[in-house]
Amino acid sequence: MTFTDQEYFDVIEKNETVKDAYEKIKQICIDLQKQTNCPEEDLENFLEFISRQWNK
């Protein structure tokens, strides 16, 4: 099932655990991009790669 951006934002606002995870992941991505000067596309690809790994 796919969620809209608004549905994700609604969950983030209503659930402290999800909100905390979102903020941490967002900050980690910002820091990683600053430290490596990688293009945004590389960071997006990296996140997609990570998302495929936790079920293995």
Side-chain angles (χ1 to χ4, degrees):
M1 178 178 180
T2 303
F3 295 98
T4 65
D5 287 354
Q6 187 57 52
E7 288 171 323
Y8 279 120
F9 283 124
D10 289 345
V11 170
I12 289 166
E13 286 305 311
K14 293 176 183 174
N15 186 310
E16 282 299 317
T17 301
V18 175
K19 185 175 186 174
D20 185 50
Y22 171 77
E23 292 299 332
K24 286 178 181 176
I25 293 167
K26 185 174 151 182
Q27 189 58 54
I28 288 168
C29 290
I30 290 168
D31 293 345
L32 180 61
Q33 191 173 30
K34 283 180 183 177
Q35 293 171 13
T36 64
N37 290 322
C38 68
E40 190 170 318
E41 182 180 354
D42 287 355
L43 188 55
E44 289 173 9
N45 291 338
F46 183 58
L47 287 170
E48 288 175 12
F49 167 77
I50 291 170
S51 74
R52 293 189 302 267
Q53 300 308 307
W54 66 65
N55 289 328
K56 293 184 179 186

